[in-house]
Amino acid sequence: MQYGPAVRRRKLGAELRALRARAGLTSGQAARLVGWHQSKVSRIETGRSGVKPADVRLLLDAYDVRDPELHELLVMLAGSDEDGRQHWWHAYRGLLPSTYSDFISLESQADVMRTLENSVVPGLLQTPEYAREVTQAAVGRAPGGDDALVDVLVKVRLARQDVLRSNTPLRLSVVLDEAVLRRTVGGPDVMARQLERLKEAAHLPHVRIQVLPFGVGAHVGVTGPFVIFSFTNRSDLDVVVLDHLTSSLYLERKEDLHAYSEAFDSLQVHALPPKDTLDFIAGLTDGA
């Protein structure tokens, strides 16, 4: 298990190493092509040092990589867009932990996101009022204690939701423990609006929401929430994210990805189908 930045370096390095081998080059030959010392190529490929987006582009050109999507993805792992533009969340770099910035970066580039939530509605589906309540709780502030910080974090959380409104939106699959819907966050009015938001989101063709009812009993997800990011045709770049109170852990080993993917599949089997989930949420709304 590694923190986000280290995972990004290792993933990028492994992919560049594979592309170099596919081009039939040794690390020394690759270094000479781009005017570097061989040790720099070695450090990048093993993830021991970071790499600038411009250096990634140099290597991709040297390896004759012409796939524009692969270009964009690998440059993203280095920390920037292909054209050098900064991402929107860079404006908050001084306020966001690096692991959170990594999470947003992966979220913005992934094709599919699968997530289990045991306590709160996922950030991509939260209303502004609900987001403010859970953010205040997460940063340990009483209402009015540090409104400026809470304002920024809520703004970031809501901006993240644009991935569901883009021309090629993120495909989102969510399993919610029933406790998420039963927990009254911010009072009845806030919770009622949040339930309505879930119903609206559930009708989007790229969003799948399922509730895991209490009646299921113990299940594989009781150990805690998790997120799986997947990239179309690039399964070697998939990653699992586990949130903790003060940090996030990023898992990249094939064994971990397989275990969490199987766990999510199992949770979907035991959860209510999407239509029954809508009926379940509607029942909670009617009873609110």
Side-chain angles (χ1 to χ4, degrees), residues 230-246:
S230 298
F231 300 84
T232 301
N233 300 322
R234 305 300 313 179
S235 61
D236 50 325
L237 294 177
D238 291 357
V239 63
V240 175
V241 185
L242 308 178
D243 273 336
H244 295 273
L245 181 61
T246 58

Side-chain angles (χ1 to χ4, degrees), residues 89 161 168 231 282:
W89 59 88
Q161 298 178 1
T168 54
F231 300 84

Side-chain angles (χ1 to χ4, degrees), residues 207-230:
V207 175
R208 179 185 178 94
I209 301 175
Q210 294 179 256
V211 169
L212 196 65
F214 288 148
V216 170
H219 55 80
V220 69
V222 295
T223 55
F226 60 85
V227 175
I228 307 172
F229 287 118
S230 298

Side-chain angles (χ1 to χ4, degrees), residues 5-279:
V7 169
R8 288 162 63 101
R9 289 198 303 270
R10 286 178 54 184
K11 284 185 174 294
L12 178 57
E15 187 67 19
L16 290 172
R17 182 170 63 249
L19 292 171
R20 173 179 59 75
R22 194 177 306 162
L25 299 170
T26 66
S27 58
Q29 290 170 332
R32 286 193 292 274
L33 280 175
V34 295
W36 299 345
H37 193 279
Q38 186 271 341
S39 62
K40 179 174 180 178
V41 174
S42 177
R43 289 195 305 273
I44 291 172
E45 290 184 352
T46 56
R48 294 199 305 270
S49 67
V51 54
K52 297 178 181 179
D55 288 344
V56 172
R57 290 192 286 271
L58 277 177
L59 291 174
L60 294 178
D61 288 343
Y63 303 158
D64 195 28
V65 177
R66 302 181 182 182
D67 182 346
E69 291 186 359
L70 182 56
H71 263 266
E72 180 181 357
L73 185 56
L74 295 183
V75 172
M76 178 274 295
L77 287 175
S80 181
D81 274 333
E82 180 71 7
D83 61 5
R85 289 185 296 109
Q86 288 192 331
H87 295 288
W88 63 264
W89 59 88
H90 288 180
Y92 305 97
R93 184 175 297 171
L95 295 170
L96 304 180
S98 60
T99 50
Y100 190 24
S101 295
D102 270 2
F103 184 92
I104 298 173
S105 179
L106 288 168
E107 186 177 71
S108 71
Q109 295 291 332
D111 297 294
V112 178
M113 176 178 171
R114 291 169 286 170
T115 181
L116 164 70
E117 282 291 352
N118 294 333
S119 300
V120 297
V121 172
L124 293 182
L125 301 177
Q126 292 177 5
T127 65
E129 299 88 353
Y130 186 100
R132 175 168 293 276
E133 292 292 334
V134 296
T135 300
Q136 286 177 331
V139 300
R141 306 288 185 182
D146 192 345
D147 285 343
L149 175 60
V150 171
D151 286 345
V152 168
L153 294 177
V154 170
K155 185 175 181 180
V156 169
R157 180 163 299 190
L158 298 178
R160 286 171 44 204
Q161 298 178 1
D162 283 345
V163 297
L164 297 178
R165 297 187 285 263
S166 66
N167 292 332
T168 54
L170 176 74
R171 298 199 302 278
L172 176 65
S173 291
V174 179
V175 173
L176 297 176
D177 192 280
E178 184 177 340
V180 174
L181 305 180
R182 296 288 184 184
R183 179 172 290 105
T184 305
V185 173
D189 290 343
V190 170
M191 200 62 202
R193 286 191 290 272
Q194 180 59 69
L195 293 175
E196 288 295 334
R197 169 71 178 121
L198 287 176
K199 289 194 294 184
E200 293 169 5
H203 285 98
L204 296 174
H206 51 281
V207 175
R208 179 185 178 94
I209 301 175
Q210 294 179 256
V211 169
L212 196 65
F214 288 148
V216 170
H219 55 80
V220 69
V222 295
T223 55
F226 60 85
V227 175
I228 307 172
F229 287 118
S230 298
F231 300 84
T232 301
N233 300 322
R234 305 300 313 179
S235 61
D236 50 325
L237 294 177
D238 291 357
V239 63
V240 175
V241 185
L242 308 178
D243 273 336
H244 295 273
L245 181 61
T246 58
S247 64
S248 299
L249 291 176
Y250 290 65
L251 311 181
E252 59 172 335
R253 296 187 311 165
K254 289 183 179 179
E255 306 94 300
D256 295 322
L257 290 165
H258 180 72
Y260 277 91
S261 292
E262 281 201 336
F264 193 81
D265 291 343
S266 174
L267 291 166
Q268 286 190 308
V269 168
H270 289 94
L272 297 176
K275 184 180 183 306
D276 292 344
T277 289
L278 269 174
D279 294 339

